Every structure is written in C-alpha cells, then in structure tokens.
Amino acid sequence: MTHRHVLIAGAGIAGPALAHWLGRHGMRATLVERAPAPREGGQTVDLRGAGRDVAHRMGLERTLRAHATREEGIRFVDAANRTKAAFASGAFGGQGPIADLEILRADLSRILYETTRPHTEYLFGDEITQLSDSGKSVDVTFRNGPNRTFDLVVAADGARSRTRDLIFGDTEIRPVGLTTAYFTIPRRPSDGSWARWYNATRGRTATLRPDNRGTTRASLSYLSEPEPRGDERLAPDAQKKLVRRLFTGAGWEVPRILTAMDTADDFFLDSVVQVRMPSWSQGRVAVVGDAAYCASPLSGMGTSLALAGAYVLAGELAHHAHHGIAFARYEGILRTYVARAQHLPPGVPRIAVPRTRAGIHTLNAVLRAASGPRVAKALNRFLVPPADTFTLPPYGLR
C-alpha cells in the first residue's frame, strides 16, 4: 500500500497538501505544474474548521499564523466611506465573514511547497496532455518532459482542470451568476487594517483588503446572470476594458482601483463557478479540491475542502490495498461535507450584490442589525460557512 507512486497535477493548495500526506504515509509523489515556479498571484483565503484541523496535524498552524494578513475584520461602507456595518475577525467565534486566520493564497501555497519539496518531485513548466489507464498503471504523456508511468494520477489543478477533462466527460461547471476581477494595488495609509466592501448599483461590488506585504488586494465583482457571457475567455486587455466600462461612475474608491488595474501584473478575471461531478474517480485517476468539488469563493470553504480532501484521500490510499476501494471511501466520507459547502444560502449572490439603492440600503440595515445576538443567530447560515460540520478520520501516521 505504501509503495505507490502518485502523479499530482497542480501545485496550488490541494496538490501540495496531498503530496504532504502521501509522504507521511510512506508513498511517493510527483507534482506537475504548468507555471514555471510556485504561483505568486491570488487573493486572501481563510482557514476554518476542518481545514484548520488539517493544518494543525501538518504541524503548520504556527507558521501559517506568522504569515497571516492580520485583518481586523470587514467594514461595509457607502460612497463616502462611512461604515454601515462591521464585523470583527473574532465575530461568530472567529468563523464569520473574516476568519481569525486569513492568509494570502500565494503564501499558503508557498509554505506547502517548501514543506513538501524535500520528499516530492516537482515538475514546473509542464503539464499532462494524455492519460492512458492500462488497469495496472497509468501511462502519462507530458507536453515537455518524457513519457512516464505512475500507479495513480490525481487532478488537483483547479475548477477548470485540464487534467480532469482528459478523463472525465460528465463534469458540470455551474456558474453562480457573478464575475470577479482580482488584482493587487499600491497601499494607502487610509486602507488601514480592515477589509472594506462597497456596493454600487446595477449589481456591482468593490472590495479592498490589506495584506501582509504592504500592498492591498482589490476585487471588482458584477452580476453576470441569467446567462454568463464568457467574459473570462476574453483577452486580458479586453477584460480590463470591460471592467472599466462597467465600473466607471460607480463611486467610492473605484476610480483609484481602476487606475491601478491598468498596470497590475496579477490581474485575473473569472466567472464564479461550482464544480459538480457524479464521481470523483475513474479507474486509477481521481480528482481532489476545486477540480472535484469547487464550492466557489462565495462559500468560504475552498481551502477547507482542499485540505480536508487531500488528507482523506491520502489516508484512504494508505489504508486500502486496492485503489478503487480507497477512492470510493474517500468520496463516501467527504460527499456530505461537500454538499453542505456547495449549498449556498438562498438568494446568493444577488442578496449580497443588490442592483438598486433600496436593495443596498436594506442589505446594510440587515448587516448592521446582525450585531445583535438574536439577529446574528438568524443570519448564521449567511455569514458563517459550514466549516465545523466535518470530523477528520484518525488515520494512523508514520
């Protein structure tokens, strides 16, 4: 069981986390990543519930806290930057809109890479172009490197996984009706230590989040329903032009954000989606993380699902000689947890991205009232992701 050699596609979060646990169970991992080095882009992610439990079992919680962004909370503001509602990072037991452990995705990914590099073979600047499952092993064709054979292959390369799509033909990529542009902008003293969320009319939002690198992470989101337009497929320059057209005149600090967007080297625009698959494995190939069950950033559960999924998949492979049994148990253990994470509250994202001034006023009033204990309990479903609904199996470790 422990001599398996597993090829993992994707060096984001789920991939290196899986490599870590495979190594802890005595298995070999090779990880292939299209980028030439660990990716530096990305926004802030949070660690909650099972995800934090996994980080603790990896021995990384102290390191992750040392690299935390240390956001004090989130303020919902109007065009004059007046706070209409606020939630400290300790609200809802530290599991509210801003968790008490927030970290840049790039920092989390890099820490996982550094932790696994001593026992994991990394193939940067390459990707899988063909998979052939013989029943006894998987023959892999790479774009740049020589062909190789592995015992198992796991796709962990994101919601739009190319590796997954080589094998699985029945994946549903479900848009939730929101498109978001992410990028980094220069820090201003006025940015402070709180995240800020601004709603403009016509279903537009802008957020500014301070990071731990002396810069600020910006995002611009807009409703893209009932049918997505495929803006994520446009060239970057065309995407920026579209975002500028949609957000011109939105108010608040949007002019500053748009100006900085023009020169941002980490600009990324994507439609917000969920991934639904009837099965997370086929033969000797499996999927984990966003490639298997992306719950969307709106869920607040992406990192927890990635870390918990990697932990369970490696644990089941270590405890079952037949990969088919291990894959089936991995799926059986996680399905209910994933279903809870993917079940977005009614009206999301429209309820958080109102189209009218009246809708924005109502949202702010409700959020402001949420500071009261009775209202807070009623809004728990909307403001607290279901991170604590999963107990990690107690796999024996080397």
Side-chain angles (χ1 to χ4, degrees):
M1 290 184 283
T2 59
H3 68 278
R4 291 180 174 126
H5 189 180
V6 182
L7 174 65
I8 306 166
I13 294 174
L18 177 60
H20 170 91
W21 289 112
L22 290 173
R24 287 280 295 273
H25 288 292
M27 288 174 274
R28 295 173 58 202
T30 293
L31 201 151
V32 60
E33 165 60 49
R34 290 197 305 273
R39 297 178 187 266
E40 273 299 309
Q43 294 284 303
T44 304
V45 299
D46 45 44
L47 282 178
R48 4 173 139 246
R52 186 175 301 185
D53 290 345
V54 173
H56 177 75
R57 295 187 187 196
M58 295 173 83
L60 293 178
E61 190 170 4
R62 181 175 296 181
T63 301
L64 297 178
R65 285 195 176 278
H67 288 82
T69 61
R70 295 179 176 81
E71 285 177 303
E72 293 186 38
I74 185 168
R75 301 184 191 276
F76 293 83
V77 301
D78 63 12
N81 204 44
R82 293 173 298 206
T83 299
K84 313 306 289 186
F87 297 93
S89 59
F92 300 94
Q95 300 301 309
I98 298 294
D100 59 6
L101 179 49
E102 302 270 348
I103 185 171
L104 290 178
R105 185 184 188 280
D107 286 345
L108 174 56
S109 180
R110 188 187 68 255
I111 290 168
L112 292 172
Y113 165 67
E114 294 292 347
T115 299
T116 56
R117 185 169 59 171
H119 59 79
T120 300
E121 177 188 21
Y122 276 86
L123 306 175
F124 286 105
D126 209 344
E127 66 177 312
I128 300 167
T129 59
Q130 187 174 339
L131 295 171
S132 178
D133 186 342
S134 69
K136 296 183 178 180
S137 60
V138 185
D139 296 323
V140 181
T141 302
F142 294 95
R143 184 171 301 280
N144 298 318
N147 297 352
R148 294 174 62 177
T149 299
F150 297 86
D151 296 302
L152 304 168
V153 175
V154 179
D157 46 345
R160 303 185 190 279
S161 168
R162 299 182 189 180
T163 307
R164 174 197 64 213
D165 293 346
L166 293 172
I167 293 292
F168 299 88
D170 49 3
T171 301
E172 178 187 3
I173 307 296
R174 179 182 297 182
V176 303
L178 193 72
T179 299
T180 301
Y182 307 92
F183 46 98
T184 304
I185 68 174
R187 183 80 161 266
R188 286 184 178 178
S190 58
D191 288 340
S193 57
W194 285 67
R196 289 179 290 160
W197 175 302
Y198 168 69
N199 282 100
T201 55
R202 307 206 315 266
R204 298 170 294 172
T205 68
T207 65
L208 291 174
R209 303 188 66 174
D211 61 26
N212 56 320
R213 299 186 181 186
T215 52
T216 296
R217 305 291 161 141
S219 68
L220 297 171
S221 301
Y222 56 94
L223 291 177
S224 50
E225 54 185 2
E227 292 296 331
R229 301 178 302 193
D231 296 343
E232 71 278 3
R233 295 192 294 271
L234 297 172
D237 287 346
Q239 291 174 342
K240 291 182 178 181
K241 183 177 180 180
L242 171 65
V243 171
R244 177 171 289 280
R245 177 175 62 80
L246 290 174
F247 279 85
T248 294
W252 188 52
E253 298 201 30
V254 171
R256 165 202 173 190
I257 297 171
L258 291 175
T259 298
M261 176 186 72
D262 290 337
T263 55
D265 58 8
D266 62 347
F267 176 88
F268 176 71
L269 181 143
D270 201 7
S271 61
V272 179
V273 301
Q274 292 190 337
V275 174
R276 307 292 182 100
M277 298 183 68
S279 175
W280 300 340
S281 66
Q282 184 168 312
R284 289 180 170 269
V285 180
V287 285
V288 70
D290 279 356
Y293 33 76
C294 176
S296 88
L298 299 175
S299 72
M301 289 290 292
T303 305
S304 291
L305 291 177
L307 294 177
Y311 172 86
V312 172
L313 177 54
E316 293 303 322
L317 286 172
H319 284 77
H320 297 281
H322 194 283
H323 61 276
I325 296 174
F327 288 161
R329 284 187 51 82
Y330 151 66
E331 185 168 340
I333 290 169
L334 279 172
R335 271 287 182 185
T336 301
Y337 183 46
V338 168
R340 290 195 188 102
Q342 291 187 325
H343 184 64
L344 301 178
V348 172
R350 295 183 303 278
I351 195 171
V353 191
R355 294 183 182 275
T356 66
R357 286 187 176 86
I360 294 171
H361 176 77
T362 299
L363 172 65
N364 288 336
V366 171
L367 291 172
R368 188 164 52 249
S371 59
R374 292 185 179 180
V375 179
K377 185 175 181 180
L379 290 177
N380 197 73
R381 182 181 180 189
F382 290 85
L383 297 173
V384 181
D388 294 317
T389 59
F390 181 71
T391 301
L392 298 175
Y395 300 116
L397 296 170
R398 288 170 174 261

